[in-house]
């Protein structure tokens, strides 16, 4: 992820360590990172909260990370970088989605594209309609582990 200024991630399901570690790396490079996640996911809710809590813990002391919980189910799979690059589609951002389930995403690199402008507007509307996370989220650790095993082996 070649970001210079800002990354907005809107995803239904967190759980992939590569994505988590990349987000942490970018925050520590002082890139502004905004995460939009569902307040209550339809599946893997405890796993989501556990993974995002790991990001929050690893980035403690950095003021360039913001996490938002959207009150409705977020089913998006979007990475929006520097207002110009967008990666989105049907695939959750993990190896299983692309290697096993054969889902796909597309990449757009055009700041002037009508789609890019509209998407950025929608992401900011979601942020405005969300609750900012200001402390670690409650989750059931045993359920998060079970959800992780299930997600990796289904």
């Amino acid at each position: 992820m070649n970001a210079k200024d800002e990354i907005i991630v809107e995803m239904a399901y967190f759980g992939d360590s590569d994505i988590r570690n990349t987000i942490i790396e970018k925050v520590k490079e002082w890139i502004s990172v905004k995460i939009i996640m569902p307040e209550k996911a339809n599946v893997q809710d405890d796993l989501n909260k556990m993974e995002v809590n790991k990001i929050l813990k690893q980035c403690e002391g950095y003021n360039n990370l913001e996490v938002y919980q959207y009150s409705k189910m977020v089913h998006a799979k979007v990475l929006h970088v520097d207002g110009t690059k967008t990666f989105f589609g049907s695939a959750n951002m993990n190896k299983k989605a692309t290697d096993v389930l054969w889902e796909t995403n597309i990449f757009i690199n055009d700041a002037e594209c009508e789609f890019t402008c509209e998407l950025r507007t929608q992401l900011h509307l979601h942020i405005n309609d969300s609750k900012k996370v200001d402390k670690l989220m409650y989750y059931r650790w045993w359920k998060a582990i079970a959800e992780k095993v299930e997600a990796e082996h289904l």
Side-chain angles (χ1 to χ4, degrees):
M1 207 180 315
N2 249 350
K4 292 184 175 95
D5 297 311
E6 178 186 57
I7 299 168
I8 301 174
V9 181
E10 184 171 44
M11 285 200 308
Y13 312 115
F14 287 81
D16 185 86
S17 61
D18 290 338
I19 295 290
R20 180 188 70 233
N21 292 336
T22 300
I23 290 170
I24 292 166
E25 175 185 313
K26 293 303 173 183
V27 169
K28 290 182 176 184
E29 291 174 9
W30 293 101
I31 305 294
S32 170
V33 177
K34 295 176 176 67
I35 296 172
I36 307 165
M37 62 184 285
E39 187 172 17
K40 175 116 176 89
N42 60 339
V43 295
Q44 298 181 9
D45 188 58
D46 290 280
L47 176 58
N48 272 359
K49 291 172 179 156
M50 179 180 80
E51 289 298 318
V52 174
N53 278 353
K54 288 178 183 178
I55 294 169
L56 289 166
K57 286 178 190 175
Q58 287 289 313
C59 297
E60 190 174 356
Y62 290 83
N63 64 359
N64 54 316
L65 171 66
E66 297 174 9
V67 176
Y68 297 91
Q69 289 182 309
Y70 192 62
S71 62
K72 299 177 185 167
M73 177 55 200
V74 171
H75 204 258
K77 294 94 172 180
V78 176
L79 282 173
H80 188 64
V81 179
D82 294 334
T84 61
K85 301 175 203 83
T86 304
F87 182 68
F88 76 103
S90 67
N92 290 306
M93 292 180 203
N94 58 42
K95 292 177 187 82
K96 182 180 175 186
T98 53
D99 294 351
V100 177
L101 301 176
W102 291 49
E103 296 187 58
T104 189
N105 287 358
I106 64 170
F107 177 73
I108 297 173
N109 185 9
D110 185 350
E112 305 305 317
C113 171
E114 184 177 336
F115 175 83
T116 302
C117 295
E118 180 60 27
L119 176 71
R120 185 164 178 77
T121 298
Q122 290 302 315
L123 290 170
H124 283 282
L125 286 173
H126 283 186
I127 288 170
N128 291 337
D129 290 342
S130 296
K131 177 178 72 174
K132 188 171 182 183
V133 174
D134 57 4
K135 61 182 178 182
L136 296 178
M137 295 169 281
Y138 170 79
Y139 68 93
R140 297 164 293 185
W141 67 267
W142 56 269
K143 188 146 194 294
I145 300 301
E147 290 171 348
K148 186 163 187 70
V149 168
E150 181 181 34
E152 291 174 351
H153 295 359
L154 281 181

